[in-house]
Amino acid sequence: MSTGNAAGLRERKRQRMYQVLSDVAIGLFLEKGFDAVSVAEVAAAAEVSKPTLFRYFPAKEDLVLYRIADHEEEAARVVEGAEVAPLVALRRHFLDGLERGDPVTGLSDHPQVLAFHALLYGTPSLAARVYAYQERSEAALARALGGGLEARLAAGQIVAVRRILALENWRRIAEGERVADVRPDAVAAAERAFGVLEAGLPQLA
């Protein structure tokens, strides 16, 4: 086996371990509550030692945040890969997500998605880590927008709009409204919100 193939295999095994540990932990947290489950319980359920678990996830909260880690630089990737103005690309991306029922937009009634969001926003220590996640999202987007204070200010506004829109959709669905009933309002709200962004940030529109 070549060195490259061996390295690729190790990386795939490493990524699978991240996924397994996160999935096992989230399953336990949803069943018993985040604070009621110890790291030792997660390690035992995943059939690994505590030191092994901590090599992958230094903090208990990281086991949960891993599930949304891929989305941390999503807005930045949209901007970097776009052939249109940044806000045009981000508006299209969010509206496409609403159409697909992407959980990131909050417009999903899948029981596991609703349970995960309730865990994430209903646990103080996790909610605090989400704030750090959002700060990293802002930093990545600011870099994609060219860096500097103006880019950081714009990134903060864009990330806040995406977060508020998604939370409003999730709240309504969590309270029992149907996705089909929420979607038209969600689309209209997104159009209005991005319209406000474009008016205030014409250099990105």
Side-chain angles (χ1 to χ4, degrees), residues 51-63:
T52 295
L53 187 149
F54 279 125
R55 279 203 301 273
Y56 286 89
F57 293 102
K60 183 179 172 184
E61 290 80 7
D62 294 335
L63 287 156

Side-chain angles (χ1 to χ4, degrees), residues 137-162:
S137 295
E138 288 180 16
L141 179 55
R143 289 192 297 271
L145 293 173
L149 177 60
E150 188 172 295
R152 293 200 302 274
L153 290 170
Q157 294 174 65
I158 293 165
V159 169
V161 161
R162 286 159 51 98

